Amino acid sequence: MSEIMRPMPFDKLMTWATSEYKQQKRVFGIRKEKFYQNKTGASMDIFGQAIASPIGPAAGPNSQLAQNIIAAWAAGSRFIELKTVQKMDGDELRACVPRPCINAEDEGYNVEWSTELFVQQAFEEYVKAWLAIHVLTKEFGIAGGTDIVFNMSVGYDLEGIKTEKIDKFIEGMKDASGTEVFKNGLNWLKEKGYDTAAIPAQVSNSVTLSTLHGCPPQEIERIAKYLLDEKKVHTFVKCNPTLLGYETARRLLDEMGYGYISFDEHHFQNDLQYTDAVAMLHRLMDWAKERSLSFGVKITNTFPVQITAGTLPGEEMYMSGRSLFPLSINVAARLSRDFEGKLPISYSGGADFFNIETIYKTGIRPITMATTILKPGGYERMQQLAQALEPLVKPEWGGIDVAALTKLAEDVTKMPVYQKDFRPVKSRKTNVPLPLFDCFQAPCKNGGCPIGQQIPEYLKLVSEGKYDEAFKVIALDNANPGITGEICNHACQGKCTRLDYDSSLEIRNAKRLASEGAQAGFTAAMKPAPIATEKKAVVVGAGPAGVSAALFLRRAGMAVTVLEKREKPFGIVEYVIPAFRISDSAIQRDFEMAKKVGVEFKFGVDVADVKALKAEYDYVVLAVGAWREGAPAVTSGHDKMLDALAFLEESKAKDCKVELGKKVAVIGGGDVAMDCARAAKRAPGVESVTLVYRRTREFMPAEPEEIRLALEDGVEMMELHAPDTFDGATLCCNKMQLGDWDASGRRGIVATGEKVSLSFDTAICAVGARVDGGLFTAAGIDTDERGRPKLSGMNESSLPGLYVAGDCKTGPSTVVSAIADAKKIAADICGKNGLNPGFAKAGTAPVDQTTLYDRKGVLKAASKAPEDGERCLSCDTLCELCCDVCPNRANVRIPLEGFANSSQILHVDGLCNECGNCGIFCPHTPGDPYKQKLTVFWSEEDFKDSENRGFLKLDGGKYLLRLEGGNEVTCTLDDAKVPAEMAAVIRKVESDYPYYL
């Protein structure tokens, strides 16, 4: 059954670990280069044990199976908070956990809360990991690798903790010497020649108590005293973020842009109250001290929130990650103040690369993590974290630095990395389906960039300072590199894998650097391409779409004329987009490139008769833009508002010196609205500019960067106000509130019934320009009910040879989308005439795989310098994200020649609990590797319970296979029914990786 994890027997676990290390210098996917070595000899004491690194996985998916724990240890974890055990386990618990159960796309969410194994199985997994680590440290040459603490996590009530199976679990962890799994494991190790003399039978002498929300303080205290008195273990108690109170939690999340996270006061009212907690913790500290045991708090538990947008199945989920950080650190600060820094704190709650040093310097330790290691880079992120803390590690605990912790809590809302809009997009997924084999793709160019620019290739060249070569790569696909280097909406950056590390690569900036450094020289060396066909083309409109179509066709050898009614090229870019966003030099460079390739431009020509052009030219491209005034933003008074495009054109012509009065309103939330607002701020005499928008900021369609720039310019935002009327001085609005989520992925709005009147000297309507369809009608082009031209996939209209490109297709869009239209048209026309449009592969040498593997798991701040390209992960050369993010190591790589990719992904069904995390980060759509990649099964029961294409090894050289379409066959790999690619992978597994079977 594919959602059931199958623990590996100890011999198979060790065979897998040692064989993988010998073959690939890896252990459960963690490369030897990412093994952590403490080089200073520093250590700290916790629970009577010296450990070299105060970090590890929090009780969760990364600490529930033996291989998970080994992987975490290898990468630098020395404090392992084992996944929680409770009286409900196994089948009973699994039945309560919907699938998928984890979503770590940005802030983390989960709907599972303790191990899905039976308690005895969990015990065996922890013991197997303990034994393995103590011998693998020598096998792998990890100095001091046995300086490790296993910390039990138990819950959730005293009755459950006193049950026989939980009691047996705790006692077995305290002394495993009499247990079968410990004895059998030792015997196996001895038979294989391992030195087992130094392996302690005490696996753990500490417990972190996890209490479900709503557990009364008396029960928590009883459990803690029981653990200290009866079980005699060091005890920490998990505290919940609800200790802050509803108002504080709501305010913190709202201030940081997480207003969409939905929760009510229920848990705040029913959870442990702060004053009760303080009194209880004082008593427990004294109680533990009398018994010479450690006591402290674990801050914090996850935070329960309502499921409102289908993030996970069910009604409630638990929040973690960067949105939990402000809540958790404020709980820590408040308790530390009340305890004068004397209360030991173990921490988990959004700890990551960007804050871990600051957290540790306050005296908080150890620090465990879940969300960050569920992201690309996975366990290997631990090495960088351990290395960062190593210089700070000291043996003795000196208490909490209350002042430092208080300052951190005060500063958290100002830290950009924890603001919601630090990540400017939600999903990085593209519209490219996930194939069974050869799935590596660079989402920046495959699904991100509308023109498919060869981004990893030119990033590498820019990072090396090779601007000339980089620009040649850019110019293959981009006819407006100067303009897009400055104002491209950079959809590529919204798909960049680095978003799941730190922040997107500065792809647009790299293009700008190449354009500024090399475009002039590239253009100077250009010569008009020889005419290779008698066919001719005419382009109506010299905007980005028109200029691009003309350049692509002309360089392919076709004569092209561009007719433009204005006196300059590039339409909206030239006349409307403010000068503070686009430079004249960038526009001019792109125009010179088009002229140099041989495009003929005629300005001041207003085309009215397309049919006449069609009679003169073989191909006509209409690229006239969208200049018609936008739809009314109010029910009355629209005539008293300024139209956005008209205002921006006047503002640009007059260098922003336009008369607007003191108070200006801009209606809308798109990029044009941001341009209007920023331009208005620069007008003389303007004191305030307010964006009036009917939804909230997070649902504005504008690019996050444009919103940020507007705010930096001092533009104010009035959210949840829907304009109704304007009389030239007063803007009347309906106050709105957010409703349910709609099909667009945004929350709908509902009127509250309240109206407000706002005074403004000027109101600008920026709700979207429209297309004048008169030219289409006159030409006899078929249009839809909205007057938009009906086009083929290559942008050809109902009249053969007549194409439509750019904003005039469906309304205002982006420059790069206009270039994409032109690229399609050029490819279609060239294909009909045997011409080469020049959209060639660059042939640039990719970054070598060793370098790419070294970059995995390492976070690094973005930079405007050329070297930013060194952060590129070249995902089409090396992806393996599904292997990185799987906590159970259920997705593995198979190096194999004869394929387009250097390795293929194999899914190991027996290790998978269908948490769904690999599907979150796979850039494909649909893209769920745990369902769609070739799968190896360990039993016929699991094979029959799955629909995955895959195989089960049988006796006699035969396999049970599930092929495309769900067909099941039993045969040898030589059978003609077996696809060659599948057979090649299975043979490779059989010969080199039999432990996967």
Side-chain angles (χ1 to χ4, degrees):
M1 301 176 188
S2 55
E3 78 276 8
I4 298 179
M5 300 175 292
R6 307 291 188 188
M8 286 185 277
F10 187 67
D11 58 345
K12 181 170 183 175
L13 179 81
M14 289 298 299
T15 299
W16 184 326
T18 54
S19 298
E20 185 180 9
Y21 183 74
K22 289 174 184 176
Q23 291 170 320
Q24 303 181 55
K25 289 295 181 281
R26 297 169 180 250
V27 60
F28 298 112
I30 311 303
R31 295 176 307 113
K32 181 179 181 180
E33 292 80 3
K34 292 300 173 76
F35 289 179
Y36 172 65
Q37 295 276 5
N38 184 304
K39 297 180 180 179
T40 65
S43 67
M44 58 166 276
D45 179 82
I46 185 158
F47 306 140
Q49 170 71 49
I51 58 175
S53 174
I55 65 167
N62 294 90
S63 62
Q64 66 181 341
L65 295 175
Q67 68 268 18
N68 305 23
I69 297 167
I70 293 168
W73 158 76
S77 300
R78 295 295 181 267
F79 184 86
I80 310 293
E81 190 180 81
L82 303 167
K83 192 158 188 183
T84 307
V85 298
Q86 59 152 323
K87 64 182 179 181
M88 182 194 294
D89 62 354
D91 296 335
E92 183 185 5
L93 188 138
R94 280 193 293 267
C96 300
V97 178
R99 315 289 167 167
C101 55
I102 296 174
N103 185 326
E105 184 175 63
D106 187 3
E107 67 269 19
Y109 297 103
N110 69 284
V111 290
E112 42 76 57
W113 59 96
S114 56
T115 181
E116 297 169 37
L117 301 174
F118 290 96
V119 170
Q120 179 61 25
Q121 287 180 311
F123 171 74
E124 292 171 359
E125 288 301 287
Y126 303 154
V127 172
K128 286 187 290 186
W130 181 256
L131 293 171
I133 287 170
H134 279 79
V135 295
L136 291 177
T137 183
K138 184 176 181 180
E139 186 86 357
F140 299 160
I142 298 179
T146 54
D147 58 341
I148 189 167
V149 165
F150 277 22
N151 177 238
M152 291 179 274
S153 177
V154 301
Y156 295 99
D157 59 357
L158 184 56
E159 179 190 355
I161 291 170
K162 283 185 171 182
T163 57
E164 181 181 356
K165 63 182 172 183
I166 302 298
D167 186 71
K168 182 181 177 183
F169 170 84
I170 294 173
E171 292 300 320
M173 294 292 284
K174 288 166 55 182
D175 181 2
S177 60
T179 65
E180 290 300 311
V181 64
F182 190 83
K183 291 188 290 186
N184 292 342
L186 279 182
N187 289 337
W188 187 90
L189 291 171
K190 290 174 182 176
E191 290 173 5
K192 297 298 180 181
Y194 290 102
D195 181 4
T196 63
I199 301 179
Q202 179 179 278
V203 179
S204 177
N205 66 348
S206 64
V207 167
T208 294
L209 171 62
S210 183
T211 56
L212 282 175
H213 294 274
C215 187
Q218 300 89 341
E219 179 76 350
I220 296 172
E221 189 165 1
R222 280 195 294 268
I223 300 171
K225 286 183 175 179
Y226 169 78
L227 293 171
L228 291 163
D229 272 353
E230 302 295 326
K231 300 291 104 180
K232 296 179 173 53
V233 289
H234 304 287
T235 302
F236 274 47
V237 174
K238 279 187 183 179
C239 292
N240 296 325
T242 49
L243 284 174
L244 288 178
Y246 174 81
E247 291 78 10
T248 300
R250 184 73 272 172
R251 174 182 57 79
L252 285 169
L253 291 176
D254 289 349
E255 284 181 9
M256 302 185 74
Y258 299 99
Y260 60 90
I261 295 177
S262 179
F263 55 91
D264 56 28
E265 299 187 38
H266 170 74
H267 289 293
F268 294 88
Q269 294 169 347
N270 293 294
D271 279 6
L272 177 67
Q273 299 300 297
Y274 185 79
T275 53
D276 293 336
V278 170
M280 178 189 73
L281 294 174
H282 272 297
R283 291 192 296 271
L284 288 173
M285 284 181 71
D286 293 340
W287 194 273
K289 186 177 181 180
E290 291 171 3
R291 288 150 182 80
S292 299
L293 290 168
S294 301
F295 177 81
V297 292
K298 167 68 183 292
I299 296 178
T300 62
N301 210 340
T302 49
F303 183 57
V305 299
Q306 294 159 2
I307 300 174
T308 55
T311 305
L312 287 171
E315 296 181 355
E316 187 174 71
M317 59 188 175
Y318 298 96
M319 183 190 79
S320 61
R322 68 190 186 107
S323 57
L324 186 58
F325 178 53
L327 305 184
S328 298
I329 211 67
N330 270 276
V331 172
R334 187 174 179 186
L335 283 172
S336 292
R337 287 193 296 271
D338 283 341
F339 282 83
E340 299 179 339
K342 297 175 183 176
L343 176 66
I345 296 176
S346 169
Y347 187 86
S348 181
D352 61 22
F353 168 73
F354 296 104
N355 61 23
I356 195 166
E357 289 184 58
T358 307
I359 294 171
Y360 188 78
K361 286 177 181 177
T362 68
I364 288 174
R365 65 181 197 177
I367 301 171
T368 58
M369 289 148 282
T371 305
T372 190
I373 53 176
L374 287 169
K375 295 178 182 290
Y379 291 95
E380 290 192 351
R381 290 180 177 225
M382 286 291 189
Q383 185 196 57
Q384 184 184 25
L385 296 168
Q387 290 172 342
L389 292 187
E390 187 174 322
L392 306 176
V393 171
K394 296 178 181 178
E396 299 299 325
W397 182 63
I400 301 294
D401 184 334
V402 177
L405 184 53
T406 298
K407 186 176 188 310
L408 176 57
E410 291 171 349
D411 290 346
V412 66
T413 57
K414 307 180 193 73
M415 295 178 177
V417 73
Y418 301 105
Q419 302 285 339
K420 176 60 182 179
D421 59 9
F422 182 78
R423 180 188 172 96
V425 298
K426 180 173 170 58
S427 172
R428 290 193 309 102
K429 283 188 172 290
T430 67
N431 58 2
V432 181
L434 176 63
L436 189 62
F437 303 105
D438 290 332
C439 58
F440 296 175
Q441 72 165 31
C444 57
K445 67 178 181 181
N446 298 327
C449 178
I451 56 177
Q453 288 183 106
Q454 298 168 69
I455 293 169
E457 289 81 357
Y458 77 69
L459 285 177
K460 176 177 183 292
L461 293 168
V462 168
S463 71
E464 295 169 350
K466 298 176 180 177
Y467 292 166
D468 290 339
E469 293 180 47
F471 189 80
K472 289 177 182 177
V473 174
I474 293 166
L476 288 169
D477 304 291
N478 191 339
N480 302 163
I483 292 170
T484 52
E486 295 191 1
I487 62 167
C488 183
N489 70 317
H490 54 62
C492 53
Q493 294 182 204
K495 302 298 181 185
C496 178
T497 302
R498 292 294 318 194
L499 282 168
D500 293 323
Y501 277 74
D502 30 52
S503 55
S504 167
L505 282 148
E506 295 286 344
I507 299 170
R508 182 178 66 190
N509 183 65
K511 189 188 295 99
R512 180 186 63 80
L513 292 172
S515 177
E516 291 176 349
Q519 188 171 6
F522 178 88
T523 302
M526 292 174 71
K527 294 180 180 179
I531 298 298
T533 176
E534 295 180 354
K535 301 293 180 67
K536 298 185 299 180
V538 63
V539 178
V540 182
V547 173
S548 298
L551 184 149
F552 292 144
L553 288 170
R554 184 64 190 85
R555 81 178 181 188
M558 181 174 287
V560 185
T561 301
V562 177
L563 307 178
E564 167 58 50
K565 69 178 180 180
R566 292 178 178 257
E567 298 304 317
K568 293 181 180 180
F570 285 114
I572 295 286
V573 176
E574 169 65 40
Y575 290 98
V576 172
I577 295 180
F580 54 78
R581 284 192 60 209
I582 182 69
S583 67
D584 290 340
S585 60
I587 297 172
Q588 188 61 31
R589 287 198 306 271
D590 288 351
F591 181 45
E592 290 299 326
M593 200 166 73
K595 288 195 298 182
K596 197 66 184 292
V597 82
V599 176
E600 180 184 6
F601 287 89
K602 294 182 179 180
F603 295 100
V605 179
D606 191 357
V607 174
D609 190 351
V610 176
K611 291 181 179 178
L613 288 178
K614 191 69 180 68
E616 182 180 354
Y617 293 91
D618 301 282
Y619 300 100
V620 178
V621 180
L622 297 182
V624 295
W627 288 86
R628 186 179 166 196
E629 183 178 315
V634 289
T635 58
S636 68
H638 177 70
D639 57 317
K640 295 178 177 63
M641 290 183 168
L642 297 182
D643 174 65
L645 295 190
F647 161 69
L648 287 172
E649 185 167 359
E650 180 186 6
S651 176
K652 188 167 187 178
K654 296 180 178 179
D655 193 24
C656 294
K657 295 179 175 61
V658 292
E659 293 294 328
L660 298 174
K662 294 181 179 181
K663 298 178 67 177
V664 179
V666 177
I667 316 303
D671 289 340
V672 173
M674 302 304 147
D675 281 348
C676 288
R678 297 180 67 200
K681 279 291 290 183
R682 289 162 169 78
V686 170
E687 296 177 356
S688 68
V689 176
T690 304
L691 277 161
V692 182
Y693 186 59
R694 58 182 183 160
R695 284 188 170 95
T696 52
R697 173 179 161 187
E698 62 254 38
F699 300 114
M700 285 182 172
E703 287 296 310
E705 180 182 25
E706 299 306 319
I707 297 174
R708 176 180 59 80
L709 290 170
L711 291 171
E712 289 176 0
D713 278 353
V715 174
E716 299 170 17
M717 293 191 178
M718 184 167 287
E719 302 168 299
L720 293 172
H721 280 68
D724 186 23
T725 64
F726 183 63
D727 63 6
T730 301
L731 180 69
C732 292
C733 298
N734 293 310
K735 290 195 72 172
M736 314 300 287
Q737 63 185 17
L738 292 176
D740 294 333
W741 296 82
D742 60 26
S744 71
R746 298 190 295 177
R747 290 183 70 179
I749 49 174
V750 180
T752 64
E754 182 181 352
K755 292 183 178 291
V756 293
S757 296
L758 307 167
S759 296
F760 292 106
D761 299 303
T762 301
I764 302 169
C765 177
V767 294
R770 292 180 288 179
V771 178
D772 185 350
L775 205 60
F776 304 142
T777 302
I781 297 173
D782 289 346
T783 57
D784 62 17
E785 65 280 358
R786 298 175 62 181
R788 299 178 300 189
K790 293 181 178 180
L791 304 174
S792 72
M794 302 305 283
N795 291 328
E796 189 172 18
S797 73
S798 57
L799 297 181
L802 195 154
Y803 296 80
V804 181
D807 289 356
C808 64
K809 278 174 51 183
T810 56
S813 188
T814 63
V815 171
V816 72
S817 294
I819 301 171
D821 283 346
K823 194 174 178 183
K824 283 183 180 179
I825 291 168
D828 197 48
I829 293 174
C830 288
K832 292 175 179 177
N833 291 277
L835 303 175
N836 180 3
F839 306 132
K841 292 293 182 184
T844 305
V847 181
D848 67 272
Q849 288 210 354
T850 299
T851 299
L852 294 177
Y853 275 125
D854 287 344
R855 292 176 183 175
K856 272 182 169 285
V858 178
L859 278 66
K860 186 177 181 181
S863 167
K864 295 291 185 181
E867 294 78 18
D868 188 67
E870 294 174 359
R871 296 192 302 130
C872 180
L873 298 166
S874 295
C875 305
D876 51 350
T877 300
L878 177 67
C879 181
E880 300 178 4
L881 290 182
C882 58
C883 301
D884 292 353
V885 304
C886 177
N888 294 353
R889 323 318 285 150
N891 298 318
V892 298
R893 63 187 288 275
I894 307 293
L896 194 59
E897 296 179 357
F899 287 76
N901 292 164
S902 58
S903 59
Q904 301 300 313
I905 302 300
L906 178 70
H907 180 64
V908 183
D909 175 81
L911 302 183
C912 180
N913 66 337
E914 295 193 351
C915 74
N917 199 47
C918 61
I920 294 296
F921 294 102
C922 176
H924 296 271
T925 299
D928 288 312
Y930 72 104
K931 295 180 180 178
Q932 295 170 273
K933 297 305 290 185
L934 186 67
T935 299
V936 55
F937 295 93
W938 289 350
S939 72
E940 187 169 357
E941 178 188 8
D942 288 346
F943 183 95
K944 294 297 184 182
D945 193 54
S946 173
E947 296 180 356
N948 287 16
R949 288 166 290 178
F951 59 98
L952 170 68
K953 182 176 172 58
L954 305 175
D955 295 332
K958 291 187 177 182
Y959 286 87
L960 175 59
L961 306 174
R962 184 176 295 110
L963 308 177
E964 196 74 43
N967 294 328
E968 296 179 11
V969 297
T970 299
C971 60
T972 66
L973 297 181
D974 295 323
D975 194 295
K977 293 189 289 289
V978 184
E981 292 171 316
M982 180 181 285
V985 173
I986 297 174
R987 286 193 174 98
K988 185 70 172 177
V989 172
E990 180 82 69
S991 63
D992 292 4
Y993 310 105
Y995 44 87
Y996 292 155
L997 299 170

